[in-house]
Amino acid sequence: MRNGIGDREEEVARALIDGPVYARLDQAEPALQGWLRQGQPNCFVPYDRVGIDPFSELFRITLRAEGTVRGTGGIDIVSDDCATGVPGLYVAGDAASREMMTGAVSGGGAVNSSWALASGWWAGKGASTHAKRRTGKAFRSAVQSLGQAGLRPASSASADISASEVIEVVRSEVTPLGKNFFRTGEGLEKSGERLESVWRDVRDHLQGEGLDRVRTREAASIAAAGRWSVAAALHRTESRGMHRRTDLPGKSPAFAHRLVITGVDEFRIAGAPERLAELAS
Ligand SMILES: Cc1cc2nc3c(=O)[nH]c(=O)nc-3n(C[C@H](O)[C@H](O)[C@H](O)COP(=O)(O)OP(=O)(O)OC[C@H]3O[C@@H](n4cnc5c(N)ncnc54)[C@H](O)[C@@H]3O)c2cc1C
């Protein structure tokens, strides 16, 4: 399955690296314009807000990184009720891994929203069954704080590090088209080193007070997700779906499966078949 505009999105990405790119939907005749507006009203809201008629005027375009947000990746599901490796945590929708349905490219045109609805149903059922099983047990008296990065730093030595700096560094490694739409082993190595260093700062020093803790925790999860995605990209020594290695353009049959990352500070990467065998044993 291909999402977006097929192979031509690579041409657009190359042009965007060279300079600004503009578009105009001038091949839509008036009847089609009406259908487009009716069929995808959300797509026209941004144009209407800034007063652009996309059918007659040029407007500047860019590509947004889908990455682990709505693209591939997400929290691994280990059972048919959407349970995860963490007891009591159930996942659905974009947050949940859905490569089993969509493959190496994000599914568009109904796959993602039907997945959100279906997995939401299964996860809700799983979570409520889990909660019912616990009724009667005084589990509230046994709760303890688990979160560390961004909340409870590993080191007592203070260091000047802010959530916005962390987000800026991660963004500069995972969103530029030159680094992530077109990947190379060398580029990924450099990004990986930078993200490892940011992660160490986050783990050891990042913390906030009051409501700021939400922000520092978000920054920590962005740093963790960026680090995992670059590590998985380095591990996948081929090109497949959204993962385009200009130095390794072909697909390798050895990688015709998902990669599962387990662990936070120290993690390991396994192919999905090995991981499933592990879970079953
Ligand atoms: C531009 C675009 C076009 C798309 N087109 C299609 C399409 O044509 N067909 C298709 O099937 N799919 C499409 N999708 C994908 C589809 O919209 C998503 O897969 C689906 O909406 C995911 O649902 P979800 O409930 O998992 O996540 P979301 O819809 O993102 O819901 C998550 C919610 O959680 C809220 N939230 C986040 N953090 C917090 C917090 N800390 N506390 C409380 N709330 C929080 C967010 O505000 C949001 O409301 C498109 C997506 C985009 C962005």
Side-chain angles (χ1 to χ4, degrees):
M1 178 193 299
R2 281 227 65 124
N3 194 15
I5 51 176
D7 291 340
R8 294 196 59 197
E9 69 194 26
E10 295 194 12
E11 287 169 38
V12 174
R14 284 208 171 83
L16 278 164
I17 291 171
D18 290 343
V21 175
Y22 294 85
R24 178 167 46 209
L25 309 181
D26 55 4
Q27 290 178 25
E29 63 208 41
L32 181 57
Q33 293 178 17
W35 296 335
L36 285 171
R37 275 193 175 276
Q38 270 186 331
Q40 289 273 346
N42 56 326
C43 291
F44 292 90
V45 173
Y47 302 115
D48 295 342
R49 277 194 189 136
V50 291
I52 292 171
D53 174 7
F55 299 110
S56 63
E57 290 173 67
L58 281 172
F59 53 93
R60 194 165 166 184
I61 60 158
T62 189
L63 285 174
R64 294 270 174 227
E66 293 193 304
T68 53
V69 178
R70 77 162 277 226
T72 53
I75 302 168
D76 192 32
I77 292 175
V78 300
S79 71
D80 60 6
D81 60 359
C82 293
T84 64
V86 179
L89 180 66
Y90 292 77
V91 278
D94 279 2
S97 172
R98 64 175 164 232
E99 302 98 322
M100 278 180 287
M101 256 184 61
T102 62
V105 180
S106 166
V111 179
N112 291 350
S113 40
S114 53
W115 167 250
L117 289 171
S119 58
W121 171 264
W122 297 322
K125 220 165 164 229
S128 59
T129 308
H130 176 84
K132 269 194 221 144
R133 272 202 303 269
R134 303 202 62 135
T135 309
K137 292 186 192 159
F139 68 93
R140 280 188 189 284
S141 61
V143 290
Q144 62 177 57
S145 312
L146 287 174
Q148 290 168 353
L151 296 174
R152 298 172 193 86
S155 162
S156 53
S158 70
D160 202 10
I161 169 171
S162 71
S164 50
E165 280 168 326
V166 170
I167 292 169
E168 207 39 57
V169 175
V170 178
R171 188 177 280 156
S172 70
E173 296 305 327
V174 302
T175 58
L177 295 171
K179 287 184 183 173
N180 250 304
F181 194 99
F182 300 110
R183 292 166 157 173
T184 61
E186 198 189 339
L188 288 168
E189 292 271 4
K190 277 192 197 143
S191 294
E193 281 163 21
R194 195 142 182 242
L195 291 170
E196 281 302 324
S197 146
V198 171
W199 171 254
R200 283 195 294 273
D201 285 344
V202 167
R203 179 197 62 195
D204 293 346
H205 304 296
L206 184 67
Q207 62 180 320
E209 290 298 325
L211 271 182
D212 256 1
R213 287 160 66 83
V214 176
R215 186 88 177 133
T216 52
R217 187 65 171 161
E218 280 174 353
S221 64
I222 285 166
R227 179 174 170 253
W228 287 323
S229 73
V230 168
L234 255 174
H235 192 89
R236 189 174 278 283
T237 45
E238 62 155 7
S239 288
R240 184 183 297 271
M242 288 169 60
H243 175 65
R244 304 170 194 86
R245 287 272 304 251
T246 51
D247 52 349
L248 295 168
K251 272 188 199 158
S252 158
F255 277 109
H257 56 71
R258 300 179 299 132
L259 295 175
V260 183
I261 297 192
T262 322
V264 181
D265 189 32
E266 282 182 24
F267 61 79
R268 67 191 180 88
I269 304 176
E274 293 135 68
R275 177 80 180 124
L276 279 175
E278 229 175 64
L279 288 167
S281 64

